[in-house]
Amino acid sequence: MISKVLKYSFSDLIRSRWSYVYLVFYLVLGFTLLFLNTNLSKAIITLMNIVVILTPLIGTIFGVMYYYNSREFTELLLAQPIKRSSIFLGQYLGISLSLTISLVAGLGIPFLIYGLFQSSVILDFIMLLLSGAFLTFIFVALSVNIALLNTNKIKGFGYAILMWLFFAVIYDGIFLISLVLFDDYPLDQFTLVASLFNPIDLSRIMILLKLDISALLGYTGALFQKFFGTYLGSFISFGTLLLWVIIPVSLMTRFSNKKDF
Amino acid sequence: MISIETISKLLVRKSVILLIHISIYLVPLATTASVYHVCETCQIKSLGEAVVTANRHDTIKVRSGRYECTNLEITKPLSLIGETGAILDGKNLGYVLKLLGDHITVRGFKIINAGKSYTKDYAAIYAFKASQFKILDNEMVNPFFGILIEKSDNGLVQGNFLSGESSKEDDSGNGIHLWHCKNVDIVDNEIHGLRDGIYLEFVDSSKVRDNYAHHNIRYGLHFMFSNQDTYLNNTFESNGAGVAVMFSKFITMKKNRFLQNWGTSSYGLLLKEIYDADVTENEFKENTIGIFIEGSTRVNYFHNDFSQNGWAVKVSGGCYTNKFFKNNFLSNAFDVSYNSRMNDNSFHGNYWSEYTGYDLDDDEIGDIPYRPVKLFSYIVNKTPETIILLRSLFVDIINFSERVSPVFTPDDLVDEQPSLKPFQW
């Protein structure tokens, strides 16, 4: 049943104007970047900033928007003999997959045309897309949760944007201030742990270590390199990203089961 | 009147004197051309024997083969030439060749098994108080010290290939090591896998040119107390800590390449206590720190390329009246980093890839000044762990606000005339 709901919401979304806008945006971005600068690895660094900030934002907005827009349809589905978890999981996967496809196609096509397969940065590029996909899945799940908990659209939107703002900017601010304040203490363990608690930071660091390694190899940077650069480190970071998907999704099924529609 | 006889007698006497003179000058010249051959089937079977037999200014040619040679002292002017396949084996006992006189040439040998010691600086080729020496086209495999030259002058070290397998600093020696020398040219050598690639201490008026030092465990080039030297067109790649230049005056560094010196305390170039130097047309690429400057004064940096370094230029205390002009700063994580608000150095007319200003009067010079020191680099200096927030949105925001109104970074550290286009030379 879950696949049917998924199919429906996926085809609904993939035909919608916004997915096209999103796809076209990434296409234009990819082509412009590569047109201005044919160096693929530099283009990937520029893209990193965009992917790490923008995919969570788009995911957040789409998640909330889709939930509120398809509310009537959801209520119709709820009247049918379908498990609640199938409905919400199906919708969730529909949004996340369509966004991920827009991202992968939108960035993949320009890079393929500019000779990605002949270049040595293909793994870094895959890493970028993979973190983009993870961020989409994470932030759609988080925003659907927010929407489930708030019947009021305005409030829901507000909280969702605040959530994005928190992870994208505020978290780093608090992180930075606490690092500076507790300067006298050994901070490396704390830094490693704190970076695991923010999926945006985590993806940024993972991509940075692949691409822009030079600064991170100084003094303390080497410690992070030692952690994130090893197989164990990559395993832990990807595991953490996976947890960041699993926990909000399980919360989502829980909230949806309990919610009184 | 002088008779014809007396004239003819005089002529004869003169020609005899002339002949005697010719024989005096020419005969020794003719004997210097003598060449001794060393091989297993020759009369002379070892290099040591040949060195004893040969007269001043003779040439000794060593044919292909493996010869045992330990602590061989050469005190007279000789040319030792190894033909293809000539190998000198030091049997791990000590020095291999010791050049202790003037006008000695050593060319074309492969030297293996030079001794290692914790108390003596054994070297494959050792020169002491030698003048006009030439060490050319030799290959040294896994030596302790490769070429060690002390208190010598007017020499040439060219085209040598030194390779080692050192892994620890305390039980390895340097590739080309000069101590108390003058007017020595070190040209076109390749050194890898040793402690320091090239090490100069108290070496004046010398040239280091076209060398390639890579994968050495400490420095590619290391020099101290060495004045009036020129470093030209060398490449230093992936050495443990890069290149260190300390306590020297009137140095010229030109067209060198400093590549991929990565690590916790690694830099492309360290300048410590350097006065009146010129650093021109060098390339610093992918180093953790491009140039680390400490206590250096009146150094001109002109036409250098800094690309993709962690820190392009890191300025520590006590640096006065240094000038940076017409350099390219391309995609560095931090262009310039200071550890205080004091600044006495000038940055003028450089190209900064992160510059975002405009140029209304079309003179290819940006109309808005550029501030190369970011707030974030100041924070990282204070709390190194914050480097983990590199390139995050929050950091971009605080950098922007600091750029608008500097509070923590030196407010007079400004490039008033940033170039809009990278320089070519």
Side-chain angles (χ1 to χ4, degrees), chain B residues 366-382:
Chain B
D367 297 350
I368 311 176
Y370 178 75
R371 296 187 171 278
V373 180
K374 293 175 186 167
L375 174 59
F376 187 49
S377 81
Y378 169 82
I379 293 171
V380 170
N381 257 336
K382 284 197 70 171

Side-chain angles (χ1 to χ4, degrees), chain B residues 155-170:
Chain B
L156 175 66
V157 178
Q158 185 170 6
N160 299 288
F161 179 83
L162 291 86
S163 63
E165 292 159 4
S166 306
S167 56
K168 282 199 306 212
E169 271 182 32
D170 48 6

Side-chain angles (χ1 to χ4, degrees), chain A residues 140-166:
Chain A
V140 170
L142 288 172
S143 65
V144 169
N145 272 325
I146 290 172
L148 270 169
L149 292 176
N150 291 283
T151 346
N152 187 336
K153 273 189 196 181
I154 305 294
K155 260 191 176 173
F157 259 104
Y159 286 139
I161 296 294
L162 196 68
M163 184 265 298
W164 170 80
L165 201 67
F166 175 76

Side-chain angles (χ1 to χ4, degrees), chain B residues 37-39 43-51 60 62 67-68:
Chain B
H37 286 282
V38 177
C39 67
Q43 270 192 326
I44 304 171
K45 291 187 173 46
S46 79
L47 186 58
E49 218 181 312
V51 168
I60 298 169
V62 179
Y67 305 88
E68 288 177 1

Side-chain angles (χ1 to χ4, degrees), chain B residues 255-422:
Chain B
K255 293 193 173 174
N256 300 292
R257 282 167 299 277
F258 303 85
L259 313 170
Q260 295 186 344
N261 296 294
W262 277 356
T264 42
S265 58
S266 187
Y267 26 72
L269 176 62
L270 164 76
L271 298 176
K272 187 175 167 63
E273 303 291 330
I274 298 295
Y275 298 92
D276 304 289
D278 284 308
V279 179
T280 318
E281 293 181 37
N282 300 288
E283 183 185 353
F284 298 86
K285 196 174 178 188
E286 294 177 4
N287 303 291
T288 298
I289 300 172
I291 305 186
F292 188 73
I293 313 168
E294 204 178 304
S296 295
T297 297
R298 295 184 300 277
V299 180
N300 296 320
Y301 302 87
F302 173 65
H303 271 182
N304 298 290
D305 253 337
F306 298 90
S307 61
Q308 294 166 47
N309 301 290
W311 287 260
V313 177
K314 198 163 186 171
V315 181
S316 199
C319 296
Y320 303 102
T321 50
N322 296 295
K323 282 186 191 139
F324 290 83
F325 52 109
K326 296 194 174 174
N327 300 289
N328 291 330
F329 290 85
L330 309 160
S331 316
N332 302 295
F334 304 103
D335 286 330
V336 179
S337 157
Y338 263 66
N339 65 353
S340 71
R341 289 203 70 194
M342 290 278 288
N343 173 43
D344 192 43
N345 307 308
S346 72
F347 292 81
H348 197 76
N350 299 288
Y351 172 76
W352 312 88
S353 63
E354 283 192 26
Y355 180 62
T356 49
Y358 47 80
D359 176 27
L360 287 182
D361 49 5
D362 247 356
D363 57 355
E364 309 226 315
I365 292 167
D367 297 350
I368 311 176
Y370 178 75
R371 296 187 171 278
V373 180
K374 293 175 186 167
L375 174 59
F376 187 49
S377 81
Y378 169 82
I379 293 171
V380 170
N381 257 336
K382 284 197 70 171
T383 316
E385 285 85 359
T386 52
I387 190 74
I388 200 133
L389 292 166
L390 179 72
R391 284 186 197 274
S392 69
L393 189 57
F394 182 76
V395 164
D396 289 345
I397 294 169
I398 59 167
N399 277 341
F400 176 76
S401 55
E402 171 76 10
R403 199 163 283 178
V404 175
S405 56
V407 179
F408 299 101
T409 53
D411 55 350
D412 55 344
L413 205 157
V414 179
D415 192 333
E416 296 283 354
Q417 298 192 312
S419 166
L420 282 189
K421 280 192 177 157

